[in-house]
Amino acid sequence: MTHHASHAARSTKRVPDALDPDRIPRHIAIIMDGNGRWAKTRGLPRVAGHKMGVDSVREAVRTCGELGVQVLTLYAFSTENWLRPEAEVNELMRLLAWALKREVSELNKNHVRLAVSGRFEKLPKNVQAELTRSMEKLKNNEGLLLNLALNYGARQEIIDAVNAGIRAGVHEFTEEILARHLYTAGIPDPDLVIRTSGEMRVSNFLLWQIAYSELYVTPTLWPDFRAPNLIEAIAEYQGRHRRFGGL
Ligand code: FPP
């Protein structure tokens, strides 16, 4: 991202008193877990949890934009999620296409840019089309980069990166060369990884990129995770002392 772009984002930011405006994470990555449990405790079908989860997504995007976060990566569909019942997979895909269609104007107003990390060409054609249309519409924006991890698996990403590198004629990899072939090429590594619903797992999410990220796990279920929860996570992040292996 250019200096100009981050400056533009900063000029619009509204930072609550609980946060230090000079130490807002550049990149926040979220494992959005607990939609199914949220629905179950209410006697609702699992998809009702995913639907409410879309409201949390909207709130996270808006809040990150306001705070001047540069990148928000959301784990929306993992390569393992194909193992779920076909009806749930279809409903998740339908929800994604519907949310994009409905939100793209609002995203545009908020200067959001869109990217996808994952095996894009294996997604349903209508979802690919909606994503392509949205990315095209938002491509000149200079605010928050919303990076959707879709049909994403970190091991697959690393394999894809190695194979892409080999095809491009790489004979010997360095960290920089490998990173350049990841889906996230050009995106800074996450400063903060948030996982909702209490599970202490990384679940094949951004394995390469989170080498030095701060981890924040909250028992709050994703549909209940709203702006104040995100601000609390960032406040805790700001209280940590990052050493990157040094002293
Ligand atoms: C995890 O809850 C959540 C998912 C697998 C999907 C997340 C998708 C959305 C919030 C909607 C679409 C996204 C966008 C970007 C508009 P779970 O089903 O694993 O819950 P459980 O662990 O309680 O069963």
Side-chain angles (χ1 to χ4, degrees):
M1 186 169 286
T2 64
H3 183 72
H4 177 74
S6 61
H7 197 76
R10 203 172 298 130
S11 64
T12 59
K13 82 185 177 188
R14 294 194 287 140
V15 177
D17 290 342
L19 298 181
D20 175 351
D22 294 326
R23 292 183 55 226
I24 298 295
R26 277 204 301 176
H27 182 176
I28 299 176
I30 308 184
I31 302 175
M32 308 182 287
D33 197 10
N35 295 346
R37 272 161 285 175
W38 183 93
K40 195 172 176 197
T41 59
R42 287 163 179 76
L44 298 169
R46 294 176 55 81
V47 296
H50 297 316
K51 194 152 188 219
M52 193 55 76
V54 175
D55 289 356
S56 296
V57 168
R58 191 185 308 108
E59 211 155 302
V61 171
R62 181 163 24 87
T63 305
C64 284
E66 286 173 3
L67 294 176
V69 171
Q70 288 179 20
V71 187
L72 173 65
T73 297
L74 298 177
Y75 205 1
F77 195 88
S78 73
T79 49
E80 290 77 19
N81 286 154
W82 295 111
L83 298 171
R84 293 186 177 200
E86 199 184 321
E88 184 176 345
V89 170
N90 291 343
E91 189 57 26
L92 273 169
M93 291 298 163
R94 205 188 59 76
L95 210 51
L96 184 69
W98 167 80
L100 277 171
K101 212 187 189 93
R102 196 186 58 174
E103 303 292 339
V104 72
S105 305
E106 188 66 20
L107 292 171
N108 196 30
K109 268 189 222 141
N110 290 310
H111 317 288
V112 174
R113 219 159 24 105
L114 185 65
V116 174
S117 289
R119 286 187 176 168
F120 186 82
E121 59 298 328
K122 295 273 160 57
L123 292 166
K125 286 283 176 280
N126 69 310
V127 173
Q128 289 188 38
E130 206 56 57
L131 285 163
T132 304
R133 230 190 328 269
S134 304
M135 284 190 284
E136 185 61 27
K137 178 158 172 142
L138 304 175
K139 71 174 182 212
N140 293 323
N141 288 339
E142 296 191 332
L144 176 72
L145 174 62
L146 173 60
N147 180 36
L148 296 180
L150 278 173
N151 193 17
Y152 177 85
R155 288 186 173 179
Q156 293 86 338
E157 178 185 31
I158 293 168
I159 296 297
D160 284 354
V162 170
N163 286 325
I166 289 169
R167 281 195 301 274
V170 177
H171 295 295
E172 194 172 312
F173 284 88
T174 61
E175 291 188 11
E176 287 70 28
I177 292 170
L178 189 99
R180 220 183 286 151
H181 289 95
L182 294 171
Y183 308 143
T184 55
I187 295 177
D189 288 342
D191 302 294
L192 171 61
V193 175
I194 296 171
R195 181 167 190 150
T196 59
S197 94
E199 238 73 68
M200 295 290 195
R201 288 193 284 274
V202 176
S203 300
N204 205 17
F205 187 48
L206 304 175
L207 296 181
W208 177 274
Q209 297 89 336
I210 65 174
Y212 294 104
S213 303
E214 294 295 327
L215 307 179
Y216 178 90
V217 177
T218 172
T220 304
L221 307 175
W222 178 250
D224 291 326
F225 190 88
R226 297 302 166 98
N229 307 82
L230 181 56
I231 287 159
E232 190 181 323
I234 298 172
E236 175 164 328
Y237 161 85
Q238 291 188 335
R240 306 233 187 123
H241 176 54
R242 301 182 77 189
R243 291 184 308 205
F244 300 96
L247 288 179

